[in-house]
Each structure stands twice: as structure tokens, then as C-alpha cells.
Amino acid sequence: MNTPDKPDQRISRPGVIRHSILGVTALAVAALDFTIGTKHMITAGIIALAASVYSFAKAAKLRKAPTGKENRP
């Protein structure tokens, strides 16, 4: 009865937690960079924001990806 449709099993897939933590950390760094407000820090903030969006998108993709067990006949 181990179906990956259960929320706790989808989160525990490899890479989901890592990308979620990286996304939150990059978002916090981006917020700090925008708060400082110099030209170089705003550029760094934009890069950190892009990394955050990428990490959250990757984590969402990993949550939706079928496991090897689902592909078997």
C-alpha cells in the first residue's frame, strides 16, 4: 500500500527536500540583497531570486514525476 500519491512520500523523494531548502535559502538571500540596495547587491539579488525560482520549480517537478514503481506493468 505504498502509493506515492501520499503527501509524505512525495516530499521524501530524492532531491525534493534539497531543492526546497535551496529555494528558501536563495529567497532569503535575495531579500537581504534587495534590502541593501546597492547596484551590485541588486544584481546579486536578481540572480538569487532566479536560483530560488529554479529550485522551487525543480522540487515541484520532482514531486510530480512518476517513480520507477509506477512505470512497471
Side-chain angles (χ1 to χ4, degrees):
M1 296 292 168
N2 288 335
T3 60
D5 295 331
K6 294 180 181 177
D8 59 338
Q9 289 179 343
R10 280 186 280 178
I11 291 172
S12 65
R13 288 185 183 169
V16 173
I17 294 173
R18 179 175 37 122
H19 280 289
S20 297
I21 291 172
L22 180 63
V24 169
T25 305
L27 192 61
V29 169
L32 288 172
D33 290 346
F34 288 136
T35 303
I36 294 171
T38 64
K39 179 181 176 184
H40 294 292
M41 294 307 284
I42 290 176
T43 303
I46 291 170
I47 293 169
L49 190 60
S52 177
V53 168
Y54 169 78
S55 292
F56 284 132
K58 184 72 173 180
K61 183 179 177 183
L62 287 171
R63 279 189 199 106
K64 291 181 182 179
T67 62
K69 293 178 184 177
E70 291 177 0
N71 292 336
R72 294 181 190 160

Short mmCIF file of all heavy atoms in Angstrom, two decimals:
data_model
loop_
_atom_site.label_atom_id
_atom_site.label_comp_id
_atom_site.label_asym_id
_atom_site.label_seq_id
_atom_site.Cartn_x
_atom_site.Cartn_y
_atom_site.Cartn_z
N MET A 1 0.80 -1.19 0.00
CA MET A 1 0.00 0.00 0.00
C MET A 1 0.85 1.27 0.00
O MET A 1 0.47 2.28 0.54
CB MET A 1 -0.92 0.00 1.22
CG MET A 1 -1.92 -1.12 1.23
SD MET A 1 -2.98 -0.71 -0.07
CE MET A 1 -4.00 -1.89 -0.51
N ASN A 2 2.04 1.19 -0.51
CA ASN A 2 2.90 2.37 -0.58
C ASN A 2 2.67 3.08 -1.91
O ASN A 2 3.34 2.82 -2.89
CB ASN A 2 4.38 1.98 -0.46
CG ASN A 2 4.72 1.56 0.94
OD1 ASN A 2 4.05 1.98 1.87
ND2 ASN A 2 5.73 0.75 1.09
N THR A 3 1.72 3.95 -1.93
CA THR A 3 1.48 4.72 -3.15
C THR A 3 2.15 6.07 -3.02
O THR A 3 2.08 6.71 -1.97
CB THR A 3 -0.04 4.91 -3.38
OG1 THR A 3 -0.58 5.61 -2.26
CG2 THR A 3 -0.74 3.59 -3.55
N PRO A 4 2.82 6.54 -4.08
CA PRO A 4 3.50 7.83 -3.99
C PRO A 4 2.53 9.01 -4.03
O PRO A 4 2.95 10.14 -4.05
CB PRO A 4 4.41 7.82 -5.21
CG PRO A 4 3.82 6.85 -6.13
CD PRO A 4 3.10 5.83 -5.31
N ASP A 5 1.23 8.73 -4.05
CA ASP A 5 0.26 9.82 -4.03
C ASP A 5 0.09 10.42 -2.65
O ASP A 5 -0.48 11.49 -2.49
CB ASP A 5 -1.11 9.33 -4.54
CG ASP A 5 -1.04 8.91 -6.00
OD1 ASP A 5 -0.20 9.47 -6.72
OD2 ASP A 5 -1.80 8.03 -6.40
N LYS A 6 0.58 9.73 -1.65
CA LYS A 6 0.51 10.27 -0.29
C LYS A 6 1.48 11.44 -0.17
O LYS A 6 2.61 11.35 -0.65
CB LYS A 6 0.84 9.19 0.73
CG LYS A 6 -0.18 8.08 0.77
CD LYS A 6 0.20 7.05 1.81
CE LYS A 6 -0.83 5.92 1.82
NZ LYS A 6 -0.45 4.88 2.77
N PRO A 7 1.08 12.52 0.46
CA PRO A 7 1.94 13.71 0.53
C PRO A 7 3.29 13.48 1.17
O PRO A 7 4.29 14.00 0.71
CB PRO A 7 1.12 14.70 1.36
CG PRO A 7 -0.28 14.23 1.27
CD PRO A 7 -0.21 12.74 1.07
N ASP A 8 3.36 12.67 2.23
CA ASP A 8 4.65 12.47 2.90
C ASP A 8 5.63 11.69 2.05
O ASP A 8 6.82 11.87 2.13
CB ASP A 8 4.46 11.79 4.25
CG ASP A 8 3.77 10.44 4.13
OD1 ASP A 8 3.08 10.22 3.12
OD2 ASP A 8 3.93 9.62 5.04
N GLN A 9 5.14 10.82 1.18
CA GLN A 9 6.04 10.06 0.32
C GLN A 9 6.50 10.89 -0.87
O GLN A 9 7.60 10.69 -1.37
CB GLN A 9 5.36 8.79 -0.16
CG GLN A 9 5.20 7.78 0.95
CD GLN A 9 4.51 6.52 0.49
OE1 GLN A 9 3.88 6.50 -0.55
NE2 GLN A 9 4.63 5.48 1.28
N ARG A 10 5.69 11.81 -1.35
CA ARG A 10 6.12 12.66 -2.45
C ARG A 10 7.22 13.60 -2.01
O ARG A 10 8.14 13.88 -2.74
CB ARG A 10 4.94 13.46 -3.00
CG ARG A 10 4.08 12.64 -3.93
CD ARG A 10 3.05 13.51 -4.53
NE ARG A 10 2.00 13.65 -3.53
CZ ARG A 10 0.93 14.39 -3.68
NH1 ARG A 10 0.76 15.08 -4.75
NH2 ARG A 10 0.03 14.45 -2.73
N ILE A 11 7.15 14.08 -0.78
CA ILE A 11 8.15 15.00 -0.28
C ILE A 11 9.47 14.29 -0.06
O ILE A 11 10.53 14.86 -0.21
CB ILE A 11 7.65 15.68 1.02
CG1 ILE A 11 6.50 16.61 0.66
CG2 ILE A 11 8.74 16.43 1.73
CD1 ILE A 11 5.80 17.19 1.86
N SER A 12 9.44 13.00 0.28
CA SER A 12 10.65 12.29 0.62
C SER A 12 11.41 11.77 -0.60
O SER A 12 12.41 11.09 -0.44
CB SER A 12 10.34 11.14 1.56
OG SER A 12 9.54 10.18 0.90
N ARG A 13 10.96 12.07 -1.80
CA ARG A 13 11.70 11.65 -2.97
C ARG A 13 13.07 12.34 -2.99
O ARG A 13 13.21 13.46 -2.51
CB ARG A 13 10.94 11.99 -4.25
CG ARG A 13 9.75 11.12 -4.45
CD ARG A 13 9.10 11.42 -5.76
NE ARG A 13 7.91 10.62 -5.92
CZ ARG A 13 7.03 10.81 -6.88
NH1 ARG A 13 7.19 11.77 -7.75
NH2 ARG A 13 5.98 10.04 -6.95
N PRO A 14 14.07 11.68 -3.56
CA PRO A 14 15.41 12.28 -3.57
C PRO A 14 15.43 13.63 -4.30
O PRO A 14 14.92 13.76 -5.40
CB PRO A 14 16.25 11.26 -4.34
CG PRO A 14 15.51 9.98 -4.22
CD PRO A 14 14.06 10.35 -4.13
N GLY A 15 15.98 14.60 -3.67
CA GLY A 15 16.13 15.92 -4.28
C GLY A 15 15.05 16.92 -3.94
O GLY A 15 15.27 18.12 -4.07
N VAL A 16 13.89 16.48 -3.50
CA VAL A 16 12.80 17.41 -3.22
C VAL A 16 13.14 18.28 -2.02
O VAL A 16 13.02 19.51 -2.09
CB VAL A 16 11.47 16.65 -2.98
CG1 VAL A 16 10.38 17.60 -2.52
CG2 VAL A 16 11.03 15.94 -4.25
N ILE A 17 13.60 17.67 -0.96
CA ILE A 17 13.93 18.44 0.24
C ILE A 17 15.12 19.35 -0.03
O ILE A 17 15.12 20.51 0.37
CB ILE A 17 14.20 17.49 1.42
CG1 ILE A 17 12.91 16.75 1.78
CG2 ILE A 17 14.74 18.25 2.62
CD1 ILE A 17 13.07 15.68 2.81
N ARG A 18 16.11 18.84 -0.73
CA ARG A 18 17.30 19.64 -1.03
C ARG A 18 16.95 20.87 -1.85
O ARG A 18 17.40 21.98 -1.56
CB ARG A 18 18.31 18.77 -1.79
CG ARG A 18 19.57 19.51 -2.17
CD ARG A 18 20.57 18.56 -2.80
NE ARG A 18 19.95 17.56 -3.64
CZ ARG A 18 20.23 17.39 -4.94
NH1 ARG A 18 21.12 18.14 -5.51
NH2 ARG A 18 19.62 16.46 -5.62
N HIS A 19 16.12 20.70 -2.89
CA HIS A 19 15.74 21.83 -3.73
C HIS A 19 14.83 22.80 -2.97
O HIS A 19 14.88 24.00 -3.20
CB HIS A 19 15.07 21.36 -5.02
CG HIS A 19 16.06 20.92 -6.05
ND1 HIS A 19 16.88 21.79 -6.72
CD2 HIS A 19 16.37 19.69 -6.51
CE1 HIS A 19 17.64 21.13 -7.55
NE2 HIS A 19 17.35 19.84 -7.45
N SER A 20 14.00 22.28 -2.09
CA SER A 20 13.14 23.16 -1.29
C SER A 20 13.98 24.02 -0.34
O SER A 20 13.74 25.23 -0.21
CB SER A 20 12.14 22.34 -0.49
OG SER A 20 11.28 21.64 -1.37
N ILE A 21 14.96 23.41 0.31
CA ILE A 21 15.83 24.17 1.22
C ILE A 21 16.65 25.20 0.44
O ILE A 21 16.79 26.35 0.87
CB ILE A 21 16.73 23.21 2.02
CG1 ILE A 21 15.89 22.41 3.00
CG2 ILE A 21 17.84 23.97 2.74
CD1 ILE A 21 16.64 21.30 3.70
N LEU A 22 17.18 24.80 -0.70
CA LEU A 22 17.95 25.72 -1.53
C LEU A 22 17.07 26.88 -1.99
O LEU A 22 17.51 28.04 -2.01
CB LEU A 22 18.54 25.00 -2.73
CG LEU A 22 19.37 25.85 -3.69
CD1 LEU A 22 20.60 26.41 -2.97
CD2 LEU A 22 19.79 25.04 -4.89
N GLY A 23 15.82 26.61 -2.35
CA GLY A 23 14.90 27.65 -2.78
C GLY A 23 14.60 28.66 -1.69
O GLY A 23 14.61 29.87 -1.92
N VAL A 24 14.37 28.18 -0.47
CA VAL A 24 14.09 29.07 0.65
C VAL A 24 15.33 29.90 0.99
O VAL A 24 15.24 31.11 1.24
CB VAL A 24 13.61 28.26 1.87
CG1 VAL A 24 13.56 29.12 3.11
CG2 VAL A 24 12.25 27.66 1.60
N THR A 25 16.49 29.26 0.99
CA THR A 25 17.72 29.98 1.29
C THR A 25 18.01 31.05 0.25
O THR A 25 18.37 32.18 0.59
CB THR A 25 18.91 28.99 1.37
OG1 THR A 25 18.59 27.98 2.32
CG2 THR A 25 20.18 29.69 1.77
N ALA A 26 17.86 30.72 -1.01
CA ALA A 26 18.10 31.70 -2.08
C ALA A 26 17.09 32.84 -2.00
O ALA A 26 17.44 34.00 -2.27
CB ALA A 26 18.03 31.01 -3.44
N LEU A 27 15.87 32.54 -1.61
CA LEU A 27 14.87 33.59 -1.47
C LEU A 27 15.23 34.53 -0.32
O LEU A 27 15.10 35.76 -0.44
CB LEU A 27 13.50 32.97 -1.23
CG LEU A 27 12.29 33.88 -1.32
CD1 LEU A 27 12.19 34.49 -2.71
CD2 LEU A 27 11.02 33.09 -1.02
N ALA A 28 15.74 33.98 0.77
CA ALA A 28 16.17 34.82 1.89
C ALA A 28 17.37 35.69 1.51
O ALA A 28 17.44 36.87 1.86
CB ALA A 28 16.52 33.95 3.09
N VAL A 29 18.31 35.12 0.77
CA VAL A 29 19.47 35.89 0.31
C VAL A 29 19.03 37.00 -0.63
O VAL A 29 19.54 38.12 -0.55
CB VAL A 29 20.51 34.95 -0.36
CG1 VAL A 29 21.59 35.74 -1.08
CG2 VAL A 29 21.12 34.02 0.67
N ALA A 30 18.09 36.70 -1.51
CA ALA A 30 17.59 37.72 -2.43
C ALA A 30 16.93 38.86 -1.66
O ALA A 30 17.13 40.04 -1.99
CB ALA A 30 16.60 37.11 -3.42
N ALA A 31 16.17 38.55 -0.63
CA ALA A 31 15.52 39.59 0.17
C ALA A 31 16.56 40.47 0.86
O ALA A 31 16.42 41.71 0.88
CB ALA A 31 14.60 38.95 1.20
N LEU A 32 17.61 39.86 1.39
CA LEU A 32 18.68 40.65 2.01
C LEU A 32 19.41 41.51 0.99
O LEU A 32 19.74 42.67 1.27
CB LEU A 32 19.67 39.73 2.72
CG LEU A 32 19.16 39.07 4.00
CD1 LEU A 32 20.18 38.05 4.48
CD2 LEU A 32 18.90 40.11 5.06
N ASP A 33 19.66 40.96 -0.18
CA ASP A 33 20.36 41.73 -1.21
C ASP A 33 19.53 42.92 -1.66
O ASP A 33 20.07 44.02 -1.87
CB ASP A 33 20.67 40.84 -2.41
CG ASP A 33 21.76 39.82 -2.11
OD1 ASP A 33 22.43 39.97 -1.07
OD2 ASP A 33 21.92 38.87 -2.90
N PHE A 34 18.22 42.74 -1.81
CA PHE A 34 17.37 43.86 -2.22
C PHE A 34 17.27 44.91 -1.12
O PHE A 34 17.11 46.09 -1.39
CB PHE A 34 15.97 43.36 -2.61
CG PHE A 34 15.94 42.61 -3.92
CD1 PHE A 34 15.22 41.44 -4.04
CD2 PHE A 34 16.64 43.06 -5.03
CE1 PHE A 34 15.18 40.74 -5.24
CE2 PHE A 34 16.62 42.37 -6.23
CZ PHE A 34 15.89 41.21 -6.33
N THR A 35 17.35 44.47 0.14
CA THR A 35 17.29 45.41 1.25
C THR A 35 18.51 46.31 1.29
O THR A 35 18.41 47.51 1.57
CB THR A 35 17.18 44.64 2.59
OG1 THR A 35 16.02 43.81 2.52
CG2 THR A 35 17.05 45.58 3.75
N ILE A 36 19.67 45.76 0.99
CA ILE A 36 20.91 46.55 0.99
C ILE A 36 20.84 47.61 -0.11
O ILE A 36 21.17 48.77 0.13
CB ILE A 36 22.14 45.63 0.84
CG1 ILE A 36 22.26 44.77 2.09
CG2 ILE A 36 23.41 46.45 0.61
CD1 ILE A 36 23.29 43.68 2.00
N GLY A 37 20.44 47.23 -1.29
CA GLY A 37 20.07 48.18 -2.33
C GLY A 37 21.15 48.78 -3.20
O GLY A 37 20.85 49.62 -4.03
N THR A 38 22.41 48.38 -3.07
CA THR A 38 23.41 48.92 -3.99
C THR A 38 23.28 48.21 -5.34
O THR A 38 22.60 47.18 -5.45
CB THR A 38 24.85 48.72 -3.45
OG1 THR A 38 25.11 47.32 -3.36
CG2 THR A 38 25.01 49.37 -2.09
N LYS A 39 23.91 48.77 -6.34
CA LYS A 39 23.78 48.23 -7.70
C LYS A 39 24.23 46.77 -7.76
O LYS A 39 23.54 45.93 -8.35
CB LYS A 39 24.62 49.08 -8.66
CG LYS A 39 24.57 48.60 -10.09
CD LYS A 39 25.44 49.48 -10.99
CE LYS A 39 25.46 48.94 -12.39
NZ LYS A 39 26.36 49.70 -13.25
N HIS A 40 25.35 46.46 -7.16
CA HIS A 40 25.86 45.10 -7.20
C HIS A 40 25.00 44.14 -6.39
O HIS A 40 24.82 42.98 -6.77
CB HIS A 40 27.31 45.05 -6.70
CG HIS A 40 28.26 45.79 -7.58
ND1 HIS A 40 28.58 45.36 -8.85
CD2 HIS A 40 28.96 46.94 -7.39
CE1 HIS A 40 29.44 46.20 -9.40
NE2 HIS A 40 29.68 47.18 -8.53
N MET A 41 24.47 44.62 -5.29
CA MET A 41 23.63 43.75 -4.46
C MET A 41 22.28 43.49 -5.12
O MET A 41 21.72 42.40 -4.96
CB MET A 41 23.44 44.35 -3.07
CG MET A 41 24.74 44.43 -2.26
SD MET A 41 25.62 42.86 -2.16
CE MET A 41 24.64 42.00 -0.99
N ILE A 42 21.76 44.45 -5.86
CA ILE A 42 20.51 44.23 -6.58
C ILE A 42 20.73 43.19 -7.68
O ILE A 42 19.89 42.31 -7.89
CB ILE A 42 19.95 45.55 -7.13
CG1 ILE A 42 19.44 46.40 -5.96
CG2 ILE A 42 18.84 45.30 -8.14
CD1 ILE A 42 18.96 47.77 -6.35
N THR A 43 21.87 43.27 -8.35
CA THR A 43 22.20 42.26 -9.36
C THR A 43 22.32 40.88 -8.72
O THR A 43 21.80 39.89 -9.25
CB THR A 43 23.51 42.63 -10.07
OG1 THR A 43 23.39 43.93 -10.63
CG2 THR A 43 23.85 41.64 -11.16
N ALA A 44 23.00 40.81 -7.58
CA ALA A 44 23.12 39.53 -6.87
C ALA A 44 21.75 39.04 -6.40
O ALA A 44 21.47 37.84 -6.41
CB ALA A 44 24.06 39.68 -5.69
N GLY A 45 20.88 39.97 -6.00
CA GLY A 45 19.53 39.60 -5.59
C GLY A 45 18.71 39.01 -6.71
O GLY A 45 17.95 38.06 -6.51
N ILE A 46 18.87 39.57 -7.90
CA ILE A 46 18.16 39.04 -9.07
C ILE A 46 18.64 37.63 -9.38
O ILE A 46 17.84 36.74 -9.68
CB ILE A 46 18.33 39.98 -10.27
CG1 ILE A 46 17.58 41.29 -10.02
CG2 ILE A 46 17.85 39.32 -11.56
CD1 ILE A 46 17.87 42.38 -11.02
N ILE A 47 19.94 37.41 -9.28
CA ILE A 47 20.49 36.07 -9.52
C ILE A 47 19.99 35.09 -8.45
O ILE A 47 19.60 33.96 -8.77
CB ILE A 47 22.03 36.12 -9.56
CG1 ILE A 47 22.47 36.91 -10.79
CG2 ILE A 47 22.63 34.72 -9.56
CD1 ILE A 47 23.94 37.26 -10.80
N ALA A 48 19.97 35.52 -7.20
CA ALA A 48 19.48 34.65 -6.13
C ALA A 48 17.99 34.36 -6.30
O ALA A 48 17.52 33.25 -6.02
CB ALA A 48 19.74 35.29 -4.77
N LEU A 49 17.24 35.34 -6.75
CA LEU A 49 15.80 35.14 -6.99
C LEU A 49 15.58 34.13 -8.11
O LEU A 49 14.70 33.28 -8.03
CB LEU A 49 15.14 36.48 -7.31
CG LEU A 49 13.63 36.52 -7.36
CD1 LEU A 49 13.05 36.12 -6.01
CD2 LEU A 49 13.15 37.90 -7.74
N ALA A 50 16.40 34.22 -9.16
CA ALA A 50 16.31 33.25 -10.26
C ALA A 50 16.66 31.84 -9.78
O ALA A 50 16.00 30.86 -10.17
CB ALA A 50 17.23 33.66 -11.40
N ALA A 51 17.67 31.73 -8.92
CA ALA A 51 18.03 30.42 -8.36
C ALA A 51 16.90 29.87 -7.50
O ALA A 51 16.63 28.67 -7.51
CB ALA A 51 19.32 30.54 -7.55
N SER A 52 16.23 30.74 -6.78
CA SER A 52 15.11 30.32 -5.95
C SER A 52 13.96 29.79 -6.80
O SER A 52 13.38 28.74 -6.50
CB SER A 52 14.64 31.49 -5.08
OG SER A 52 13.52 31.12 -4.33
N VAL A 53 13.63 30.51 -7.84
CA VAL A 53 12.55 30.07 -8.74
C VAL A 53 12.90 28.74 -9.38
O VAL A 53 12.06 27.83 -9.46
CB VAL A 53 12.27 31.15 -9.82
CG1 VAL A 53 11.38 30.62 -10.92
CG2 VAL A 53 11.68 32.39 -9.18
N TYR A 54 14.15 28.59 -9.81
CA TYR A 54 14.58 27.33 -10.40
C TYR A 54 14.46 26.18 -9.40
O TYR A 54 13.96 25.10 -9.75
CB TYR A 54 16.03 27.43 -10.90
CG TYR A 54 16.61 26.10 -11.27
CD1 TYR A 54 16.29 25.49 -12.48
CD2 TYR A 54 17.46 25.42 -10.41
CE1 TYR A 54 16.81 24.26 -12.82
CE2 TYR A 54 17.98 24.19 -10.74
CZ TYR A 54 17.65 23.61 -11.95
OH TYR A 54 18.16 22.38 -12.28
N SER A 55 14.89 26.40 -8.19
CA SER A 55 14.85 25.34 -7.18
C SER A 55 13.43 24.93 -6.84
O SER A 55 13.13 23.74 -6.71
CB SER A 55 15.59 25.78 -5.92
OG SER A 55 16.95 25.88 -6.18
N PHE A 56 12.54 25.92 -6.69
CA PHE A 56 11.14 25.58 -6.40
C PHE A 56 10.50 24.86 -7.58
O PHE A 56 9.71 23.92 -7.39
CB PHE A 56 10.35 26.83 -6.04
CG PHE A 56 10.61 27.33 -4.65
CD1 PHE A 56 10.88 28.67 -4.41
CD2 PHE A 56 10.60 26.48 -3.57
CE1 PHE A 56 11.11 29.14 -3.14
CE2 PHE A 56 10.85 26.94 -2.28
CZ PHE A 56 11.10 28.27 -2.07
N ALA A 57 10.82 25.26 -8.80
CA ALA A 57 10.27 24.58 -9.98
C ALA A 57 10.80 23.14 -10.08
O ALA A 57 10.05 22.22 -10.41
CB ALA A 57 10.61 25.36 -11.24
N LYS A 58 12.08 22.97 -9.79
CA LYS A 58 12.67 21.63 -9.83
C LYS A 58 12.05 20.73 -8.76
O LYS A 58 11.75 19.56 -9.02
CB LYS A 58 14.18 21.74 -9.62
CG LYS A 58 14.92 20.46 -9.72
CD LYS A 58 15.00 19.96 -11.14
CE LYS A 58 15.91 18.75 -11.21
NZ LYS A 58 16.02 18.24 -12.55
N ALA A 59 11.82 21.27 -7.56
CA ALA A 59 11.20 20.49 -6.49
C ALA A 59 9.77 20.09 -6.87
O ALA A 59 9.35 18.96 -6.63
CB ALA A 59 11.21 21.27 -5.18
N ALA A 60 9.05 21.01 -7.49
CA ALA A 60 7.68 20.69 -7.92
C ALA A 60 7.69 19.62 -9.00
O ALA A 60 6.83 18.72 -9.00
CB ALA A 60 6.99 21.96 -8.43
N LYS A 61 8.66 19.70 -9.91
CA LYS A 61 8.75 18.70 -10.97
C LYS A 61 9.08 17.33 -10.38
O LYS A 61 8.53 16.31 -10.81
CB LYS A 61 9.83 19.11 -11.97
CG LYS A 61 9.96 18.18 -13.14
CD LYS A 61 11.02 18.68 -14.11
CE LYS A 61 11.20 17.71 -15.25
NZ LYS A 61 12.27 18.14 -16.16
N LEU A 62 9.96 17.29 -9.39
CA LEU A 62 10.31 16.02 -8.75
C LEU A 62 9.13 15.43 -7.98
O LEU A 62 8.97 14.21 -7.91
CB LEU A 62 11.50 16.20 -7.80
CG LEU A 62 12.84 16.41 -8.47
CD1 LEU A 62 13.89 16.80 -7.44
CD2 LEU A 62 13.27 15.17 -9.22
N ARG A 63 8.29 16.29 -7.40
CA ARG A 63 7.11 15.79 -6.69
C ARG A 63 6.13 15.14 -7.65
O ARG A 63 5.47 14.17 -7.31
CB ARG A 63 6.41 16.93 -5.96
CG ARG A 63 7.03 17.28 -4.67
CD ARG A 63 6.15 18.26 -3.91
NE ARG A 63 6.94 18.92 -2.89
CZ ARG A 63 7.35 20.18 -2.95
NH1 ARG A 63 7.01 20.92 -3.97
NH2 ARG A 63 8.06 20.69 -1.99
N LYS A 64 6.01 15.69 -8.86
CA LYS A 64 5.03 15.19 -9.83
C LYS A 64 5.56 14.03 -10.66
O LYS A 64 4.79 13.33 -11.29
CB LYS A 64 4.62 16.31 -10.78
CG LYS A 64 3.81 17.39 -10.10
CD LYS A 64 3.42 18.46 -11.08
CE LYS A 64 2.65 19.56 -10.40
NZ LYS A 64 2.29 20.63 -11.33
N ALA A 65 6.89 13.84 -10.70
CA ALA A 65 7.49 12.81 -11.54
C ALA A 65 7.07 11.43 -11.08
O ALA A 65 7.05 11.15 -9.88
CB ALA A 65 9.01 12.93 -11.52
N PRO A 66 6.75 10.54 -12.02
CA PRO A 66 6.39 9.17 -11.63
C PRO A 66 7.62 8.43 -11.14
O PRO A 66 8.74 8.67 -11.60
CB PRO A 66 5.86 8.56 -12.92
CG PRO A 66 6.47 9.36 -14.00
CD PRO A 66 6.67 10.74 -13.46
N THR A 67 7.41 7.55 -10.19
CA THR A 67 8.52 6.73 -9.68
C THR A 67 8.71 5.53 -10.58
O THR A 67 7.89 5.24 -11.45
CB THR A 67 8.24 6.27 -8.24
OG1 THR A 67 7.07 5.46 -8.27
CG2 THR A 67 8.08 7.44 -7.32
N GLY A 68 9.76 4.79 -10.36
CA GLY A 68 10.02 3.59 -11.13
C GLY A 68 8.96 2.53 -10.94
O GLY A 68 8.67 1.74 -11.82
N LYS A 69 8.35 2.51 -9.76
CA LYS A 69 7.32 1.51 -9.47
C LYS A 69 6.06 1.76 -10.29
O LYS A 69 5.35 0.84 -10.65
CB LYS A 69 6.97 1.52 -7.99
CG LYS A 69 8.09 1.05 -7.11
CD LYS A 69 7.72 1.14 -5.65
CE LYS A 69 8.88 0.76 -4.77
NZ LYS A 69 8.55 0.92 -3.34
N GLU A 70 5.77 3.02 -10.61
CA GLU A 70 4.57 3.33 -11.37
C GLU A 70 4.72 2.97 -12.84
O GLU A 70 3.75 2.76 -13.53
CB GLU A 70 4.25 4.82 -11.25
CG GLU A 70 3.80 5.23 -9.89
CD GLU A 70 3.56 6.72 -9.80
OE1 GLU A 70 3.75 7.42 -10.80
OE2 GLU A 70 3.18 7.18 -8.72
N ASN A 71 5.95 2.91 -13.34
CA ASN A 71 6.17 2.64 -14.74
C ASN A 71 6.17 1.16 -15.07
O ASN A 71 6.10 0.78 -16.23
CB ASN A 71 7.52 3.24 -15.17
CG ASN A 71 7.49 4.75 -15.15
OD1 ASN A 71 6.43 5.35 -15.25
ND2 ASN A 71 8.64 5.36 -15.00
N ARG A 72 6.23 0.31 -14.06
CA ARG A 72 6.26 -1.13 -14.30
C ARG A 72 4.88 -1.65 -14.64
O ARG A 72 3.89 -1.22 -14.08
CB ARG A 72 6.78 -1.87 -13.07
CG ARG A 72 8.21 -1.55 -12.78
CD ARG A 72 8.68 -2.31 -11.58
NE ARG A 72 10.00 -1.82 -11.17
CZ ARG A 72 10.51 -2.00 -9.99
NH1 ARG A 72 9.85 -2.66 -9.06
NH2 ARG A 72 11.70 -1.52 -9.70
N PRO A 73 4.80 -2.63 -15.56
CA PRO A 73 3.48 -3.19 -15.92
C PRO A 73 2.90 -4.08 -14.86
O PRO A 73 3.47 -4.61 -14.02
CB PRO A 73 3.75 -3.97 -17.20
CG PRO A 73 5.21 -4.15 -17.28
CD PRO A 73 5.86 -3.14 -16.38
#
